[in-house]
Amino acid sequence: AQAGLGSGHSLAPLCTVCCCGVLNRTLAVAFMVSLAFAIVVGNVVTLTVFVQTRQSRTPQGYLKVSLAIADMMVGVLVVPFSIYTEISLMVTTTPPVWYQGTSTSPANSSSRGGLVSPWQPCMLIGPVFAGCTFVSISTIFLMTLERSVAILWPLQKDALVTRRRTLFLILFSWASSFLLALAPLIFSRNFTLEYNECSRMCNYTPLMLGGHLPPDANILLLFPAFDFTLLGGTLAVNIVSFTSIRRYSQKRKLLSEGSLSDGGGGGGGCPHRPSFSDIKAAKTIGILTFAFTASFTPIAVFVLGNVVGYTWCNFSFFAFWILTGNSCCNVIIYSVRDHRFRKGVTLLFQRDQSPPHGEKN
């Protein structure tokens, strides 16, 4: 594979299950269309509910809107581009300029290295997918911090977590996430982006130097390092929050049994107890964290293997599309866990239906 890239020739198909043949491409396109529809519709509903529901205009609501926008960008830009490329490969015999092996040939590589000429769409789609992934995990981390403040310091919550601070952190997370997504192109001249025939997405590709990986190929390790750092921080904050919830639940149980005296400060030793909605929201964010971790771990394994020279074609397809499928999971989790969201969806669809006695109402 490295020799093929170094000589500028398009690689022969490396996969046997999910990438080769008209039938497999057709099934893949059908899957991509269904996934794009689910991502867009689900997140449009999410955005509409949070925008039109006055009770959702809180710091937590703004963070959920940020997460929904990042997910919807994947469904609007990333997945449709893969659909377009797959259909193009089925109806034409010449692969597009952004296809694997085409943009890395010496004829198409610029003298500056990682930037290729002419410009091709993967230079936009690849960073968008990476940036939206980083925005998702950073937003989940911020949501976890916001809920931990509500649980650990409920009386100081309104003073510590304000709308202005939340909006600033959201803007900072978007800027830093997309800067990190562009880091391989900004800080190295040995990378380009091309449509990978295995993952069926625009991926970062090192430009081979004499058939070998460039010395700065490990810059791609910034991606899993960033995500696992935030996921580790999210896990630690969740542990602290759930430990506090467990202590509060035990105190409440002892109070109900009459085994705890009232001498520990007003409220039976629980003077600053968190509300039920805060506890349930913390559990919901814990589920979001688990879902994102499960969907991102295969990508991290693939990147680590890719940096050391392994090419896992079939595995890369499942890894990238499992992560993409996470973009439609959040609305499902909200629907199951958040009764306010369910009520907002119900009101949203009932608003289009005029009641039979509208005049009286």
Side-chain angles (χ1 to χ4, degrees), residues 197-352:
E197 65 176 346
C198 295
S199 66
R200 305 204 178 189
M201 281 191 175
C202 294
N203 296 158
Y204 291 88
T205 303
L207 297 174
M208 295 299 172
L209 303 175
H212 300 284
L213 290 170
D216 54 357
N218 56 4
I219 194 174
L220 291 178
L221 294 177
L222 286 174
F223 293 176
F226 174 82
D227 280 314
F228 278 119
T229 299
L230 285 187
L231 286 172
T234 303
L235 178 62
V237 174
N238 276 326
I239 290 175
V240 174
S241 298
F242 290 136
T243 301
S244 177
I245 292 173
R246 185 171 180 270
R247 286 202 303 264
Y248 165 68
S249 299
Q250 290 176 342
K251 289 181 179 180
R252 188 173 60 178
K253 182 179 179 181
L254 292 174
L255 281 173
S256 64
E257 294 175 354
S259 302
L260 190 65
S261 65
D262 295 337
C270 300
H272 308 307
R273 61 180 183 271
S275 66
F276 175 76
S277 61
D278 290 334
I279 294 175
K280 190 168 184 179
K283 294 179 179 178
T284 301
I285 296 170
I287 296 173
L288 289 175
T289 305
F290 174 79
F292 188 89
T293 304
S295 62
F296 178 78
T297 300
I299 282 286
V301 174
F302 170 76
V303 171
L304 290 174
N306 201 23
V307 167
V308 299
Y310 290 101
T311 303
W312 296 322
C313 189
N314 294 329
F315 176 71
S316 70
F317 175 82
F318 292 108
F320 275 92
W321 288 96
I322 286 173
L323 179 60
T324 307
N326 179 261
S327 297
C328 64
C329 290
N330 296 328
V331 64
I332 298 175
I333 295 173
Y334 295 150
S335 300
V336 173
R337 298 285 307 175
D338 193 340
H339 72 279
R340 290 183 179 178
F341 179 78
R342 293 196 301 269
K343 184 177 180 181
V345 173
T346 303
L347 293 175
L348 176 65
F349 287 100
Q350 287 181 347
R351 191 171 298 174
D352 297 333

Side-chain angles (χ1 to χ4, degrees), residues 17 29 31 58 61-62 73 88-89 141 145 161 163 167 178 184 217 234 275 279-280 299 302 311 335 350 361:
V17 177
V29 169
F31 164 74
T58 60
Y62 293 142
M73 287 180 63
S88 299
L89 291 172
F141 176 71
L145 286 180
V161 183
R163 294 184 182 181
L167 291 174
F178 277 87
T234 303
S275 66
I279 294 175
K280 190 168 184 179
I299 282 286
F302 170 76
T311 303
S335 300
Q350 287 181 347
N361 291 338

Side-chain angles (χ1 to χ4, degrees), residues 23 49-50 58 63 83 92 120 122 130 133 147 149 214 250 263 336:
L23 177 60
V49 169
F50 284 117
T58 60
L63 291 170
I83 295 171
T92 61
Q120 39 92 2
C122 272
T133 301
R147 285 298 90 188
V149 171
Q250 290 176 342
V336 173

